[in-house]
Amino acid sequence: MYNMHADIEEILISEEQLRTRIADLGETITRDYQEKNLLLLGTLKGAVTFIADLARAIPLPLELDYMAVASYGDSSQSSGVVRIVKDLEGPIEHKHILIVEDIIDSGLTLHYLIDLLQRRNPLSLRICALLDKKRERVKEVPVDYLGFTIPDKFVVGYGLDYAQRYRNLPYVGILKPSVYQGEHRPEKQHQSVAEK
Ligand code: IMP
Ligand code: MG
């Protein structure tokens, strides 16, 4: 039987490491947002797993909302011009916004999002990112709460995808090169399931 764990070359951050770090982040955020009108703003789809666990590590009556943004042009390279696919449901003037992101790579997406939200005058605007890739940023972004710094490698799992797959891995890992090279493409696997 096919098992997607076999497509992973190396587990970079284990479930246990994620749990421990997110509990710490939750504690710090809880302390910082006492008696504040907090809205956790998750970016779809990558940050969904992270925000679900993070929100449950913050025992405050916070709100959850989501935005989906997509960059224009070549999907493999962030262009910095971002299109809003799904916006917030209401105004944010009386709220403290904490953007919850899965990963910061070039910084372009987040830079655009910060710019856009600042113009809506929230009471405050901060960033919480699970992963920060160690590479040169195209745009500098101020990260207030950070989970882990990782090497400049393409990772999947815990919300992060490769071609929309592997988001449901419970840890963060590096894919085997054979997956990219198409020897064992998820589409193939999909097809074989359909054929059965
Ligand atoms: P950037 O900071 O504008 O370059 O883009 C960050 C976005 O690119 C993230 O929100 C992810 O959706 C995606 N991304 C960047 N690096 C990775 C990776 O290693 N695995 C999966 N998605 C990634
Ligand atoms: Mg993303």
Side-chain angles (χ1 to χ4, degrees):
M1 205 180 9
Y2 168 79
N3 182 322
M4 68 173 168
H5 295 288
D7 295 347
I8 301 303
E9 182 159 270
E10 185 194 339
I11 296 177
L12 213 55
I13 307 167
S14 70
E15 291 185 69
E16 181 58 33
Q17 286 174 298
L18 285 164
R19 225 185 340 265
T20 309
R21 189 76 192 105
I22 291 167
D24 285 349
L25 286 174
E27 219 174 287
T28 310
I29 293 167
T30 305
R31 211 177 306 124
D32 291 355
Y33 287 88
Q34 290 293 305
E35 291 177 39
K36 284 185 176 145
N37 210 0
L38 173 62
L39 177 103
L40 290 187
L41 197 180
T43 53
L44 297 172
K45 305 167 190 167
V48 164
T49 316
F50 177 38
I51 200 172
D53 284 341
L54 182 68
R56 286 178 291 177
I58 306 171
L60 296 174
L62 52 81
E63 283 181 68
L64 287 169
D65 205 349
Y66 304 89
M67 273 180 91
V69 293
S71 40
Y72 279 112
D74 183 0
S75 58
S76 68
Q77 199 107 56
S78 218
S79 64
V81 185
V82 174
R83 179 168 57 96
I84 298 176
V85 178
K86 186 217 170 288
D87 205 340
L88 292 174
E89 279 170 17
I92 56 174
E93 274 139 49
H94 302 102
K95 292 171 188 177
H96 291 274
I97 308 297
L98 181 58
I99 300 176
V100 179
E101 252 288 38
D102 48 358
I103 186 166
I104 305 176
D105 188 9
S106 70
L108 284 166
T109 311
L110 210 47
H111 183 266
Y112 180 90
L113 200 57
I114 292 167
D115 221 51
L116 184 130
L117 292 168
Q118 284 290 17
R119 276 183 267 128
R120 297 184 189 176
N121 289 315
L123 289 175
S124 71
L125 182 62
R126 284 186 181 170
I127 316 287
C128 175
L130 179 67
L131 307 172
D132 181 353
K133 256 191 208 179
K134 230 183 162 68
R135 60 162 273 185
E136 211 172 302
R137 293 258 186 281
V138 177
K139 287 280 184 192
E140 242 359 282
V141 286
V143 181
D144 303 278
Y145 307 95
L146 175 67
F148 304 88
T149 301
I150 61 164
D152 191 4
K153 294 221 166 109
F154 193 80
V155 293
V156 294
Y158 201 70
L160 293 149
D161 72 300
Y162 165 63
Q164 299 302 327
R165 310 280 170 148
Y166 301 101
R167 292 193 197 273
N168 55 325
L169 278 172
Y171 49 77
V172 176
I174 298 172
L175 276 179
K176 285 182 179 162
S178 60
V179 177
Y180 297 99
Q181 284 150 15
E183 283 166 34
H184 190 93
R185 290 209 315 271
E187 302 95 277
K188 262 195 198 166
Q189 201 260 323
H190 200 65
Q191 210 172 42
S192 68
V193 168
E195 279 161 8
K196 274 183 191 147

PDB file of all heavy atoms in Angstrom, residues 78 101-110 133 153-156 160-161, ligand 1:
ATOM      1  N   SER A  78       7.831  34.247  -6.831  1.00  0.00           N
ATOM      2  CA  SER A  78       6.983  35.298  -6.301  1.00  0.00           C
ATOM      3  C   SER A  78       7.241  36.587  -7.078  1.00  0.00           C
ATOM      4  O   SER A  78       8.380  37.012  -7.219  1.00  0.00           O
ATOM      5  CB  SER A  78       7.300  35.491  -4.814  1.00  0.00           C
ATOM      6  OG  SER A  78       6.144  35.740  -4.094  1.00  0.00           O
ATOM      7  N   GLU A 101       1.420  33.256   9.449  1.00  0.00           N
ATOM      8  CA  GLU A 101       1.932  32.761   8.162  1.00  0.00           C
ATOM      9  C   GLU A 101       2.643  31.425   8.342  1.00  0.00           C
ATOM     10  O   GLU A 101       3.218  31.162   9.405  1.00  0.00           O
ATOM     11  CB  GLU A 101       2.944  33.772   7.600  1.00  0.00           C
ATOM     12  CG  GLU A 101       2.452  34.560   6.412  1.00  0.00           C
ATOM     13  CD  GLU A 101       2.355  33.759   5.115  1.00  0.00           C
ATOM     14  OE1 GLU A 101       1.972  32.575   5.147  1.00  0.00           O
ATOM     15  OE2 GLU A 101       2.648  34.327   4.065  1.00  0.00           O
ATOM     16  N   ASP A 102       2.605  30.626   7.291  1.00  0.00           N
ATOM     17  CA  ASP A 102       3.320  29.350   7.350  1.00  0.00           C
ATOM     18  C   ASP A 102       4.827  29.545   7.202  1.00  0.00           C
ATOM     19  O   ASP A 102       5.605  29.053   7.998  1.00  0.00           O
ATOM     20  CB  ASP A 102       2.783  28.382   6.273  1.00  0.00           C
ATOM     21  CG  ASP A 102       2.662  29.022   4.886  1.00  0.00           C
ATOM     22  OD1 ASP A 102       2.957  30.222   4.738  1.00  0.00           O
ATOM     23  OD2 ASP A 102       2.266  28.302   3.954  1.00  0.00           O
ATOM     24  N   ILE A 103       5.216  30.279   6.156  1.00  0.00           N
ATOM     25  CA  ILE A 103       6.652  30.385   5.872  1.00  0.00           C
ATOM     26  C   ILE A 103       6.969  31.710   5.191  1.00  0.00           C
ATOM     27  O   ILE A 103       6.182  32.204   4.396  1.00  0.00           O
ATOM     28  CB  ILE A 103       7.101  29.179   4.995  1.00  0.00           C
ATOM     29  CG1 ILE A 103       8.619  29.156   4.793  1.00  0.00           C
ATOM     30  CG2 ILE A 103       6.385  29.148   3.661  1.00  0.00           C
ATOM     31  CD1 ILE A 103       9.133  27.834   4.241  1.00  0.00           C
ATOM     32  N   ILE A 104       8.111  32.267   5.553  1.00  0.00           N
ATOM     33  CA  ILE A 104       8.573  33.476   4.863  1.00  0.00           C
ATOM     34  C   ILE A 104       9.766  33.096   4.023  1.00  0.00           C
ATOM     35  O   ILE A 104      10.746  32.538   4.521  1.00  0.00           O
ATOM     36  CB  ILE A 104       8.951  34.593   5.850  1.00  0.00           C
ATOM     37  CG1 ILE A 104       7.769  34.876   6.769  1.00  0.00           C
ATOM     38  CG2 ILE A 104       9.340  35.857   5.105  1.00  0.00           C
ATOM     39  CD1 ILE A 104       8.073  35.898   7.826  1.00  0.00           C
ATOM     40  N   ASP A 105       9.628  33.368   2.729  1.00  0.00           N
ATOM     41  CA  ASP A 105      10.692  33.006   1.794  1.00  0.00           C
ATOM     42  C   ASP A 105      11.313  34.300   1.269  1.00  0.00           C
ATOM     43  O   ASP A 105      12.213  34.848   1.882  1.00  0.00           O
ATOM     44  CB  ASP A 105      10.077  32.130   0.694  1.00  0.00           C
ATOM     45  CG  ASP A 105      11.108  31.539  -0.228  1.00  0.00           C
ATOM     46  OD1 ASP A 105      12.302  31.653   0.075  1.00  0.00           O
ATOM     47  OD2 ASP A 105      10.724  30.960  -1.259  1.00  0.00           O
ATOM     48  N   SER A 106      10.799  34.825   0.167  1.00  0.00           N
ATOM     49  CA  SER A 106      11.344  36.086  -0.348  1.00  0.00           C
ATOM     50  C   SER A 106      10.869  37.279   0.478  1.00  0.00           C
ATOM     51  O   SER A 106      11.524  38.310   0.529  1.00  0.00           O
ATOM     52  CB  SER A 106      10.910  36.282  -1.805  1.00  0.00           C
ATOM     53  OG  SER A 106       9.521  36.541  -1.874  1.00  0.00           O
ATOM     54  N   GLY A 107       9.699  37.119   1.116  1.00  0.00           N
ATOM     55  CA  GLY A 107       9.130  38.208   1.897  1.00  0.00           C
ATOM     56  C   GLY A 107       8.138  39.049   1.109  1.00  0.00           C
ATOM     57  O   GLY A 107       7.464  39.909   1.659  1.00  0.00           O
ATOM     58  N   LEU A 108       8.040  38.786  -0.181  1.00  0.00           N
ATOM     59  CA  LEU A 108       7.196  39.609  -1.050  1.00  0.00           C
ATOM     60  C   LEU A 108       5.711  39.545  -0.702  1.00  0.00           C
ATOM     61  O   LEU A 108       5.034  40.581  -0.627  1.00  0.00           O
ATOM     62  CB  LEU A 108       7.402  39.202  -2.518  1.00  0.00           C
ATOM     63  CG  LEU A 108       8.704  39.697  -3.162  1.00  0.00           C
ATOM     64  CD1 LEU A 108       8.976  38.980  -4.470  1.00  0.00           C
ATOM     65  CD2 LEU A 108       8.648  41.207  -3.388  1.00  0.00           C
ATOM     66  N   THR A 109       5.200  38.345  -0.486  1.00  0.00           N
ATOM     67  CA  THR A 109       3.776  38.183  -0.190  1.00  0.00           C
ATOM     68  C   THR A 109       3.393  38.936   1.075  1.00  0.00           C
ATOM     69  O   THR A 109       2.421  39.691   1.098  1.00  0.00           O
ATOM     70  CB  THR A 109       3.430  36.684  -0.019  1.00  0.00           C
ATOM     71  OG1 THR A 109       3.968  35.967  -1.118  1.00  0.00           O
ATOM     72  CG2 THR A 109       1.932  36.457   0.081  1.00  0.00           C
ATOM     73  N   LEU A 110       4.180  38.718   2.111  1.00  0.00           N
ATOM     74  CA  LEU A 110       3.882  39.323   3.402  1.00  0.00           C
ATOM     75  C   LEU A 110       4.042  40.845   3.348  1.00  0.00           C
ATOM     76  O   LEU A 110       3.255  41.581   3.935  1.00  0.00           O
ATOM     77  CB  LEU A 110       4.813  38.724   4.461  1.00  0.00           C
ATOM     78  CG  LEU A 110       4.258  38.650   5.863  1.00  0.00           C
ATOM     79  CD1 LEU A 110       2.853  38.086   5.880  1.00  0.00           C
ATOM     80  CD2 LEU A 110       5.161  37.802   6.732  1.00  0.00           C
ATOM     81  N   LYS A 133      12.854  31.034   6.207  1.00  0.00           N
ATOM     82  CA  LYS A 133      13.933  30.439   5.417  1.00  0.00           C
ATOM     83  C   LYS A 133      15.169  31.306   5.464  1.00  0.00           C
ATOM     84  O   LYS A 133      15.097  32.513   5.234  1.00  0.00           O
ATOM     85  CB  LYS A 133      13.485  30.294   3.961  1.00  0.00           C
ATOM     86  CG  LYS A 133      13.140  28.879   3.613  1.00  0.00           C
ATOM     87  CD  LYS A 133      12.974  28.728   2.132  1.00  0.00           C
ATOM     88  CE  LYS A 133      12.000  27.599   1.874  1.00  0.00           C
ATOM     89  NZ  LYS A 133      11.785  27.408   0.435  1.00  0.00           N
ATOM     90  N   LYS A 153      15.711  25.306   1.776  1.00  0.00           N
ATOM     91  CA  LYS A 153      15.310  24.091   1.060  1.00  0.00           C
ATOM     92  C   LYS A 153      13.793  24.101   0.931  1.00  0.00           C
ATOM     93  O   LYS A 153      13.103  24.685   1.773  1.00  0.00           O
ATOM     94  CB  LYS A 153      15.711  22.856   1.859  1.00  0.00           C
ATOM     95  CG  LYS A 153      17.199  22.677   1.997  1.00  0.00           C
ATOM     96  CD  LYS A 153      17.583  21.219   1.824  1.00  0.00           C
ATOM     97  CE  LYS A 153      19.069  21.051   1.607  1.00  0.00           C
ATOM     98  NZ  LYS A 153      19.740  20.447   2.735  1.00  0.00           N
ATOM     99  N   PHE A 154      13.279  23.422  -0.068  1.00  0.00           N
ATOM    100  CA  PHE A 154      11.829  23.353  -0.244  1.00  0.00           C
ATOM    101  C   PHE A 154      11.245  22.313   0.702  1.00  0.00           C
ATOM    102  O   PHE A 154      11.624  21.153   0.686  1.00  0.00           O
ATOM    103  CB  PHE A 154      11.473  23.013  -1.692  1.00  0.00           C
ATOM    104  CG  PHE A 154      10.024  23.243  -1.975  1.00  0.00           C
ATOM    105  CD1 PHE A 154       9.541  24.515  -2.223  1.00  0.00           C
ATOM    106  CD2 PHE A 154       9.128  22.186  -1.947  1.00  0.00           C
ATOM    107  CE1 PHE A 154       8.188  24.735  -2.453  1.00  0.00           C
ATOM    108  CE2 PHE A 154       7.770  22.390  -2.177  1.00  0.00           C
ATOM    109  CZ  PHE A 154       7.305  23.673  -2.425  1.00  0.00           C
ATOM    110  N   VAL A 155      10.318  22.757   1.553  1.00  0.00           N
ATOM    111  CA  VAL A 155       9.753  21.852   2.552  1.00  0.00           C
ATOM    112  C   VAL A 155       8.247  21.656   2.346  1.00  0.00           C
ATOM    113  O   VAL A 155       7.574  22.497   1.749  1.00  0.00           O
ATOM    114  CB  VAL A 155      10.016  22.375   3.993  1.00  0.00           C
ATOM    115  CG1 VAL A 155      11.496  22.324   4.325  1.00  0.00           C
ATOM    116  CG2 VAL A 155       9.468  23.781   4.191  1.00  0.00           C
ATOM    117  N   VAL A 156       7.756  20.555   2.851  1.00  0.00           N
ATOM    118  CA  VAL A 156       6.315  20.263   2.784  1.00  0.00           C
ATOM    119  C   VAL A 156       5.834  19.764   4.147  1.00  0.00           C
ATOM    120  O   VAL A 156       6.623  19.417   5.006  1.00  0.00           O
ATOM    121  CB  VAL A 156       5.981  19.177   1.723  1.00  0.00           C
ATOM    122  CG1 VAL A 156       6.264  19.664   0.319  1.00  0.00           C
ATOM    123  CG2 VAL A 156       6.713  17.870   2.014  1.00  0.00           C
ATOM    124  N   LEU A 160       2.105  23.014   4.518  1.00  0.00           N
ATOM    125  CA  LEU A 160       2.865  23.398   3.312  1.00  0.00           C
ATOM    126  C   LEU A 160       2.757  22.325   2.228  1.00  0.00           C
ATOM    127  O   LEU A 160       2.777  21.134   2.531  1.00  0.00           O
ATOM    128  CB  LEU A 160       4.332  23.614   3.674  1.00  0.00           C
ATOM    129  CG  LEU A 160       4.568  24.817   4.569  1.00  0.00           C
ATOM    130  CD1 LEU A 160       5.752  24.589   5.483  1.00  0.00           C
ATOM    131  CD2 LEU A 160       4.782  26.050   3.728  1.00  0.00           C
ATOM    132  N   ASP A 161       2.666  22.792   0.994  1.00  0.00           N
ATOM    133  CA  ASP A 161       2.416  21.851  -0.104  1.00  0.00           C
ATOM    134  C   ASP A 161       3.505  21.801  -1.153  1.00  0.00           C
ATOM    135  O   ASP A 161       4.310  22.714  -1.292  1.00  0.00           O
ATOM    136  CB  ASP A 161       1.121  22.255  -0.816  1.00  0.00           C
ATOM    137  CG  ASP A 161       1.311  23.534  -1.644  1.00  0.00           C
ATOM    138  OD1 ASP A 161       1.667  24.570  -1.044  1.00  0.00           O
ATOM    139  OD2 ASP A 161       1.131  23.488  -2.875  1.00  0.00           O
TER     140      ASP A 161
HETATM  141  P1  IMP B   1       7.315  34.736  -0.396  1.00  0.00           P
HETATM  142  O1  IMP B   1       7.796  35.038   1.015  1.00  0.00           O
HETATM  143  O2  IMP B   1       6.510  35.829  -1.007  1.00  0.00           O
HETATM  144  O3  IMP B   1       8.465  34.305  -1.280  1.00  0.00           O
HETATM  145  O4  IMP B   1       6.332  33.512  -0.415  1.00  0.00           O
HETATM  146  C1  IMP B   1       6.009  32.773   0.670  1.00  0.00           C
HETATM  147  C2  IMP B   1       5.017  31.735   0.218  1.00  0.00           C
HETATM  148  O5  IMP B   1       5.612  30.832  -0.725  1.00  0.00           O
HETATM  149  C3  IMP B   1       4.584  30.880   1.382  1.00  0.00           C
HETATM  150  O6  IMP B   1       3.432  31.397   1.991  1.00  0.00           O
HETATM  151  C4  IMP B   1       4.375  29.534   0.736  1.00  0.00           C
HETATM  152  O7  IMP B   1       3.049  29.422   0.256  1.00  0.00           O
HETATM  153  C5  IMP B   1       5.316  29.492  -0.423  1.00  0.00           C
HETATM  154  N1  IMP B   1       6.575  28.768  -0.078  1.00  0.00           N
HETATM  155  C6  IMP B   1       7.794  29.316   0.077  1.00  0.00           C
HETATM  156  N2  IMP B   1       8.700  28.375   0.390  1.00  0.00           N
HETATM  157  C7  IMP B   1       8.033  27.203   0.440  1.00  0.00           C
HETATM  158  C8  IMP B   1       8.430  25.835   0.735  1.00  0.00           C
HETATM  159  O8  IMP B   1       9.593  25.507   1.031  1.00  0.00           O
HETATM  160  N3  IMP B   1       7.440  24.908   0.695  1.00  0.00           N
HETATM  161  C9  IMP B   1       6.155  25.204   0.383  1.00  0.00           C
HETATM  162  N4  IMP B   1       5.738  26.465   0.112  1.00  0.00           N
HETATM  163  C10 IMP B   1       6.667  27.452   0.140  1.00  0.00           C
END
